[in-house]
């Protein structure tokens, strides 16, 4: 964790990007392959299923936390270069603003995917 803090916002972004990738990938794998739905569920059943699957994904994230932390430390220098490029390419005034834009994109992508998959199963 100390090594990750040394990278500052790039270290945080690296960990956040790995978390986003973990949650999206694991959610999709569990939803479609580990516990596939029988068919059209209805809104209430699809929402309950979503909550149960997210609980399983969260529990799995606790088991893989150290692996993701190690990956974030390893990726932090590359994320730092990428964040600098992103900041200059899209004319952000600071890396902090570019960081917030990337975080916003991660949250938006996750929410859209979770909502769309759940809604399509309803």
């Amino acid at each position: 964790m100390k090594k990750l803090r040394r990278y500052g916002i790039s270290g945080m972004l690296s960990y956040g990007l790995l978390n986003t990738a973990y949650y999206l990938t694991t959610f999709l794998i569990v939803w479609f392959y580990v516990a596939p739905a029988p068919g059209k569920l209805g809104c209430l059943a699809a929402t309950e299923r979503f909550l149960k699957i997210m609980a399983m994904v969260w529990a799995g994230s606790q088991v893989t936390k150290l692996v993701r932390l190690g990956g974030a430390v390893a990726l932090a220098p590359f994320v730092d270069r990428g964040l600098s490029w992103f900041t200059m390419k899209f004319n952000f005034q600071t890396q902090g603003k570019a960081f917030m834009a990337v975080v916003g994109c991660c949250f938006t992508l996750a929410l859209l995917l979770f909502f769309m998959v759940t809604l399509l199963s309803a």
Side-chain angles (χ1 to χ4, degrees):
M1 199 62 169
K2 289 180 184 179
K3 287 183 180 181
L4 200 55
R5 284 189 190 131
R6 184 179 75 205
Y7 286 104
I9 100 177
S10 296
M12 295 281 294
L13 184 59
S14 178
Y15 188 69
L17 290 171
L18 283 178
N19 273 343
T20 302
Y22 168 81
Y23 274 93
L24 294 179
T25 304
T26 307
F27 173 78
L28 289 173
I29 289 170
V30 172
W31 188 277
F32 291 110
Y33 297 108
V34 175
K40 295 292 182 186
L41 299 172
C43 286
L44 184 60
T47 303
E48 287 175 4
R49 183 168 191 267
F50 169 79
L51 293 173
K52 288 177 185 177
I53 287 177
M54 284 308 290
M56 290 190 319
V57 170
W58 178 83
S61 78
Q62 301 311 301
V63 174
T64 62
K65 190 174 282 196
L66 288 177
V67 173
R68 286 181 286 124
L69 188 60
V73 170
L75 290 175
F78 301 106
V79 171
D80 188 45
R81 280 188 241 138
L83 185 61
S84 295
W85 173 84
F86 187 76
T87 302
M88 290 189 312
K89 175 76 175 171
F90 294 100
N91 297 320
F92 286 101
Q93 294 172 348
T94 64
Q95 277 193 340
K97 290 182 180 181
F99 168 85
M100 291 306 294
V102 173
V103 169
C105 288
C106 286
F107 276 116
T108 301
L109 175 66
L111 289 174
L112 282 174
L113 183 118
F114 295 152
F115 184 72
M116 294 289 286
V117 168
T118 305
L119 186 63
L120 289 174
S121 294

